[in-house]
Amino acid sequence: MIFQNEIVKWYLSNKRELPWRGSTDAYVIWLSEIILQQTRVEQGLPYFLRFLENYPTVADFASASETQILKLWQGLGYYSRGRNMLYTARQIQEKYGGIFPVIYKDLIALKGIGDYTAAAIASFSSNESRPVLDGNVFRLLSRYFGIDAAINSTAGKKAFAELAQALIIGQKPSLYNQAIMEFGALQCKPKSPACPACPLQEGCFARKNNRVNELPVKEKKLRKRIRYFNYFFCSDEASNILVKKRSAGDIWQELYDFPLIETEDVYTEQPLKFETAIKETFGDRCRITLLHQKKHLLTHQTIYVQFFALDNYIINFNQNADIKWVSLGEFEQLPQPKVITDFMSAFVNQINQ
């Protein structure tokens, strides 16, 4: 019990004051947990506050449109999280009459809610004895107990789950889970953890064996996919621009960007092929001017993005029904990938001068 007691004691003295902390409202907890997945607290906090202000109940969330949710989500990445949240909110509204479930077995059946999130909501809202296992907890357990099993392997996940379940026995689940997550986030950090001031250092395997930087172990990920996006920025005298709604089955689905030609390599490596593709889409007399280049990093993809101004072009809207004219004001209200938002912020004023 030394491990658990020291963590809880540390937490009571060092915890951050966060707006969702201490709440037993499953909806509020759900909002915070989904928003903070793969997102730092500093980045996610403004989003949490905006979502709660715009949608104070799960019924309010369920009544929103996908465009509204994605627009509010814009900049967080992993847009499937936002879409799954809307699906879940509507599911709760329909199945549970707008009352957010608080039991693990009900939560785990909802779209977008996995083991960790279900355990977090259940333990924080109803004190159900379910251990949480996020990246912070994996790291802390691996270092303290000296576990070499890869945290992203089937065997590793099973070993950590069994250990976490044993450790939560006899604890107040809500308090203990928040304590162990916070300890991993602030004390046992991924890089430069505060080992000299750590109350667990005497029993820590990694500290005693000089393996802090080696644990936890992760299996190597697959190589990232490399892609080349060539965007075409088109505007008229009234400052309307051509936009395109992205379809399902690829990144940024249901978000809005510009007319796009994806190539197998940098366009300068295959100039004739690139020129042919442009003429087939925008007519034989169109002219392009390179405006900006950017390397955009996603979790599983690296995208080399180029923006071109397009002049003297022809658009066949019957063949390109997903392309339309919108005003700059209208476009600001539409959800966009971050790479498009950054471009609009930095370059549109220059283009229109």
Side-chain angles (χ1 to χ4, degrees):
M1 297 287 282
I2 294 176
F3 175 83
Q4 299 96 315
N5 291 343
E6 288 294 339
I7 284 177
V8 170
K9 181 181 177 182
W10 174 94
Y11 173 74
L12 294 174
S13 299
N14 296 277
K15 65 179 179 179
R16 291 169 290 186
E17 295 300 325
L18 300 172
W20 54 83
R21 182 153 284 162
S23 175
T24 58
D25 186 332
Y27 171 67
V28 172
I29 298 166
W30 171 72
L31 271 183
S32 68
E33 291 298 334
I34 301 296
I35 288 173
L36 292 180
Q37 285 177 9
Q38 298 166 305
T39 304
R40 292 177 292 104
V41 170
E42 295 77 13
Q43 181 189 7
L45 179 56
Y47 286 89
F48 169 81
L49 295 175
R50 286 196 291 269
F51 266 100
L52 195 58
E53 179 182 0
N54 283 272
Y55 309 110
T57 68
V58 70
D60 295 318
F61 200 113
S63 65
S65 69
E66 184 172 287
T67 297
Q68 290 172 319
I69 296 299
L70 291 178
K71 182 60 182 177
L72 208 56
W73 191 272
Q74 184 174 300
L76 265 180
Y78 302 97
Y79 288 90
S80 60
R81 288 186 292 167
R83 285 188 289 268
N84 285 343
M85 288 179 81
L86 182 57
Y87 184 97
T88 298
R90 291 173 175 174
Q91 190 178 6
I92 292 170
Q93 186 66 20
E94 183 176 321
K95 186 175 181 180
Y96 296 100
I99 299 174
F100 213 105
V102 297
I103 304 301
Y104 179 90
K105 68 177 182 64
D106 295 330
L107 291 162
I108 197 67
L110 297 173
K111 189 176 182 67
I113 294 184
D115 289 336
Y116 160 74
T117 306
I121 297 173
S123 62
F124 300 157
S125 61
S126 65
N127 231 13
E128 185 175 348
S129 187
R130 295 278 181 172
V132 292
L133 272 171
D134 69 349
N136 294 317
V137 178
F138 275 121
R139 183 170 59 256
L140 173 57
L141 296 182
S142 177
R143 286 174 174 171
Y144 185 83
F145 293 97
I147 302 175
D148 285 309
I151 62 175
N152 56 343
S153 68
T154 301
K157 290 177 181 178
K158 181 180 178 182
F160 280 99
E162 291 175 351
L163 173 59
Q165 185 62 56
L167 291 171
I168 201 172
I169 295 174
Q171 302 295 311
K172 182 180 179 182
S174 175
L175 176 61
Y176 173 72
N177 278 342
Q178 291 188 75
I180 195 170
M181 291 165 62
E182 190 80 333
F183 195 97
L186 300 183
Q187 186 76 28
C188 196
K189 297 181 292 185
K191 296 181 180 179
S192 302
C195 294
C198 180
L200 296 175
Q201 61 177 293
E202 290 187 6
C204 179
F205 173 89
R207 169 77 167 171
K208 290 189 292 185
N209 292 276
N210 196 30
R211 295 194 60 192
V212 171
N213 294 326
E214 298 176 13
L215 297 172
V217 175
K218 277 188 177 181
E219 291 181 340
K220 290 185 178 179
K221 296 180 179 180
L222 295 176
R223 184 180 177 183
K224 281 189 174 185
R225 180 184 178 187
I226 307 296
R227 302 177 74 175
Y228 300 87
F229 282 12
N230 304 281
Y231 280 120
F232 299 92
F233 183 82
C234 312
S235 62
D236 62 15
E237 294 179 354
S239 294
N240 296 310
I241 60 175
L242 282 177
V243 301
K244 184 175 182 292
K245 187 176 184 179
R246 295 186 62 82
S247 58
D250 198 357
I251 58 170
W252 307 328
Q253 62 182 16
E254 306 301 322
L255 273 64
Y256 289 80
D257 57 7
F258 305 139
L260 164 71
I261 292 177
E262 182 172 358
T263 51
E264 297 174 358
D265 208 330
V266 181
Y267 80 103
T268 52
E269 297 296 319
Q270 298 175 312
L272 293 178
K273 190 174 183 180
F274 185 59
E275 182 179 345
T276 299
I278 293 173
K279 289 182 177 180
E280 287 176 352
T281 306
F282 301 110
D284 291 339
R285 298 183 179 180
C286 68
R287 298 187 303 271
I288 64 170
T289 304
L290 180 63
L291 299 172
H292 181 56
Q293 296 173 308
K294 181 175 183 177
K295 181 180 180 180
H296 191 66
L297 301 177
L298 301 175
T299 303
H300 302 297
Q301 300 186 29
T302 297
I303 304 177
Y304 292 91
V305 183
Q306 299 182 108
F307 292 91
F308 298 89
L310 196 61
D311 295 305
N312 204 32
Y313 54 87
I314 298 173
I315 294 286
N316 187 329
F317 288 99
N318 290 326
Q319 295 180 1
N320 298 278
D322 51 352
I323 297 177
K324 65 178 182 179
W325 287 104
V326 299
S327 68
L328 288 175
E330 289 172 329
F331 191 52
E332 288 178 358
Q333 301 305 311
L334 297 174
Q336 311 155 24
K338 187 176 186 300
V339 69
I340 298 296
T341 306
D342 290 347
F343 171 80
M344 293 293 287
S345 299
F347 293 95
V348 169
N349 288 336
Q350 299 177 24
I351 293 168
N352 290 332
Q353 287 177 353

